[in-house]
Amino acid sequence: MKILLLTDGQTDVLPPLGLLAYSVYSGTVDYLTASGRPSPDVIVVDARVNLADARANCRRAHAARLNVPLIAVVNEAGLVAVSPEWLVDDVVLDVAGPAEIDARLRLAVSRRKALQKTEGDLIRAADLTIDTGTYTAKLHGEQLPLTFKEFELLKYLAQRPGRVFSRSHLLREVWGYDYVGGTRTVDVHIRRLRAKLGPHRESMIGTVRQVGYTFAALAASPTSDAQRDDASISASQEPSRVT
């Protein structure tokens, strides 16, 4: 495990770290934006003395979007100042022993990995959430009654927003090469999906005239099927990639 210790030159921030089998390197908060820096597994921020600066450093570390746990080292008197606005994953007292520090580091890393895995299963577009892990889709927090193929079709399109897919391509990728039905099957499932998305979100699935379908992350104003087909993708006035 690689640990980045953010401190203003202090060397005694958390002495027990030296007793653990981790790679520890230190730097100021400017290190976060330096080029060629190694990527840490955990960021530990020195928050023992100047709490205002420590809070600002924690927020800057969070804003760097390294997607790693952020832990603040505080003394007992400083605990009362720590709040959700610090954006830290955990706090540890500067008098903590190596066993406690090791446990907190490991748990923080495990929680972050679990969160990443959960988020990795989700596809979000406006108020539509598709959970590929549980095969469910929710709109406004309400689960949509999708069949397996409807879910697979919606997932395939939503994972590739902005791209235009022909009916034959969708039939091949969603139904499989051995499917004996025609491309009309795609049109039927698209119509059912739009009906289940409702009038305010049906336009998430756009029609590209004489080509196929595309997924728009931000649904436009409600339109009828006829208006959607006539407008096709020219409403965007941008070329699209056709697969």
Side-chain angles (χ1 to χ4, degrees):
M1 185 186 299
K2 298 186 295 296
I3 301 173
L4 170 59
L5 182 61
L6 292 184
T7 178
D8 293 327
Q10 300 294 324
T11 58
D12 60 342
V13 179
L14 207 56
L17 277 177
L19 303 176
L20 301 174
Y22 298 143
S23 175
V24 182
Y25 52 101
S26 61
T28 66
V29 72
D30 294 328
Y31 178 92
L32 295 170
T33 56
S35 59
R37 53 171 170 72
S39 179
D41 298 305
V42 181
I43 298 175
V44 176
V45 179
D46 182 5
R48 299 170 301 160
V49 182
N50 191 321
L51 293 173
D53 285 350
R55 177 181 179 275
N57 288 340
C58 287
R59 293 177 65 87
R60 287 183 64 186
H62 184 273
R65 298 186 181 277
L66 297 182
N67 205 19
V68 299
L70 179 62
I71 298 177
V73 179
V74 299
N75 55 38
E76 191 167 1
L79 279 174
V80 69
V82 180
S83 67
E85 285 73 24
W86 284 51
L87 303 177
V88 295
D89 294 90
D90 200 359
V91 295
V92 60
L93 288 174
D94 57 352
V95 294
E100 178 183 347
I101 294 170
D102 179 60
R104 288 185 180 275
L105 291 173
R106 288 187 291 101
L107 288 172
V109 171
S110 296
R111 286 194 299 268
R112 180 56 62 97
K113 287 182 177 179
L115 179 61
Q116 289 172 350
K117 184 178 185 300
T118 300
E119 289 296 320
D121 290 338
L122 299 181
I123 304 169
R124 301 183 189 275
D127 43 13
L128 174 67
T129 302
I130 303 170
D131 191 331
T132 62
T134 62
Y135 278 79
T136 58
K138 293 182 178 181
L139 186 64
H140 308 299
E142 297 292 329
Q143 185 168 325
L144 296 174
L146 303 181
T147 66
F148 177 75
K149 284 303 181 185
E150 288 169 354
F151 178 85
E152 286 290 298
L153 179 58
L154 180 62
K155 180 184 74 171
Y156 188 86
L157 291 170
Q159 286 176 326
R160 302 159 180 85
R163 293 182 60 181
V164 182
F165 297 99
S166 66
R167 292 168 175 82
S168 59
H169 179 93
L170 291 172
L171 195 67
R172 188 169 62 247
E173 293 298 320
V174 177
W175 278 263
Y177 284 92
D178 56 348
Y179 182 72
V180 296
T183 56
R184 179 62 179 166
T185 298
V186 178
D187 296 329
V188 171
H189 279 73
I190 290 291
R191 186 167 63 248
R192 291 174 179 169
L193 273 177
R194 284 172 173 161
K196 292 179 179 180
L197 287 170
H200 297 291
R201 285 291 177 261
E202 63 176 355
S203 56
M204 278 184 163
I205 303 177
T207 298
V208 181
R209 195 175 182 87
Q210 297 182 339
V211 180
Y213 299 103
T214 185
F215 184 86
L218 296 178
S221 303
T223 57
S224 67
D225 285 344
Q227 289 173 318
R228 188 166 47 241
D229 288 338
D230 290 340
S232 69
I233 208 65
S234 62
S236 67
Q237 299 181 347
E238 293 182 1
S240 300
R241 291 178 293 170
V242 179
T243 304

